[in-house]
Amino acid sequence: EAGVVQSPRYKIIEKKQPVAFWCNPISGHNTLYWYRQNLGQGPELLIRYENEEAVDDSQLPKDRFSAERLKGVDSTLKIQPAELGDSAVYLCASSSGQGLGDNEQFFGPGTRLTVL
Amino acid sequence: GESVGLHLPTLSVQEGDNSIINCAYSNSASDYFIWYKQESGKGPQFIIDIRSNMDKRQGQRVTVLLNKTVKHLSLQIAATQPGDSAVYFCAELLSGYGQNFVFGPGTRLSVLP
């Protein structure tokens, strides 16, 4: 079974440019997460989806970040415009989310964003 | 192995020795904890979990200990192997905020030949 798929794996852009990341979760997983991981730190949650609904986006900088999960499967995370401080690894994870014991999150390999 | 606290982000152990990685969590209401392993260029990978109604759980070569009195979590790796070299994160689930995990800063484990 395929794991969580993310693309692109690497992205280099100049500041003020837009950028988008794509995530395909594990088949059947209703819960999808986007995290940002700065160098040398643990992942920080940006947004959590239950099916197509964003149930927690309190940590998403809404002035420049947006996300969508149409049809409750794939998801995209967008930054417009990007700033230097946005350089990080953006991780997508999914879980079945059926209960406390099923909260194991499966992570994708991440997209490493470098803003110049 | 050598026990380290959060203020020491790197742990070096000899191959074959036991490793102990520590984590202090922040919220006494957290009721579920996971240890993740992250290798370079990859996403975090689940190692072992424990619920707050337990104080110990064992897996294959790994043991997690939970001390709720002092809000402390540890990961013990027996007979550490070169493939164990990675960054290890603990994550706590704050149930009051839905199913959102909060990750600790991580500890880098280096296994010396």
Side-chain angles (χ1 to χ4, degrees), chain B:
Chain B
E2 180 178 347
S3 176
V4 295
L6 273 182
H7 61 287
L8 297 175
T10 302
L11 173 65
S12 297
V13 298
Q14 292 292 139
E15 181 178 355
D17 285 353
N18 297 331
S19 303
I20 301 175
I21 301 172
N22 296 311
C23 175
Y25 62 93
S26 58
N27 194 327
S28 58
S30 294
D31 52 13
Y32 185 57
F33 306 87
I34 295 180
W35 277 101
Y36 284 94
K37 171 186 180 183
Q38 187 173 25
E39 297 175 282
S40 180
K42 298 183 179 180
Q45 178 184 9
F46 174 96
I47 300 174
I48 191 168
D49 61 354
I50 189 167
R51 302 187 186 192
S52 60
N53 61 351
M54 305 169 68
D55 54 20
K56 180 179 181 179
R57 191 171 188 205
Q58 289 184 297
Q60 186 177 12
R61 283 202 307 120
V62 295
T63 300
V64 55
L65 299 178
L66 175 62
N67 186 331
K68 294 182 289 294
T69 302
V70 295
K71 294 189 292 185
H72 183 268
L73 199 66
S74 70
L75 176 69
Q76 301 177 2
I77 304 174
T80 311
Q81 302 171 359
D84 295 328
S85 293
V87 177
Y88 290 80
F89 295 98
C90 68
E92 61 181 302
L93 179 64
L94 305 177
S95 296
Y97 295 91
Q99 299 178 359
N100 291 336
F101 283 93
V102 175
F103 285 77
T107 297
R108 179 175 298 280
L109 175 65
S110 294
V111 181
L112 307 175

Side-chain angles (χ1 to χ4, degrees), chain A residues 2-7 21-29 31-34 69 72-76 92-94 106-109:
Chain A
V4 176
V5 179
Q6 290 188 248
S7 69
F21 315 123
W22 176 80
C23 173
N24 179 241
I26 291 174
S27 178
H29 279 190
T31 306
L32 183 146
Y33 310 78
W34 282 104
R69 191 184 183 196
V73 181
D74 294 0
S75 178
T76 56
C92 179
S94 69
F106 295 84
F107 284 83

Side-chain angles (χ1 to χ4, degrees), chain A residues 36-106:
Chain A
R36 176 169 57 191
Q37 185 174 27
N38 293 313
L39 186 64
Q41 298 181 20
E44 297 175 317
L45 181 71
L46 292 173
I47 189 169
R48 175 169 64 91
Y49 281 94
E50 298 289 347
N51 299 303
E52 66 273 13
E53 181 182 1
V55 296
D56 187 347
D57 62 356
S58 58
Q59 301 302 312
L60 190 72
K62 298 180 182 64
D63 57 335
R64 298 182 299 106
F65 286 65
S66 64
E68 61 181 10
R69 191 184 183 196
L70 300 177
K71 301 181 181 179
V73 181
D74 294 0
S75 178
T76 56
L77 178 69
K78 299 178 182 179
I79 308 175
Q80 182 172 9
E83 297 178 352
L84 295 177
D86 295 331
S87 295
V89 174
Y90 290 83
L91 294 163
C92 179
S94 69
S95 69
S96 62
Q98 297 301 309
L100 190 62
D102 296 317
N103 276 329
E104 179 181 347
Q105 297 178 35
F106 295 84

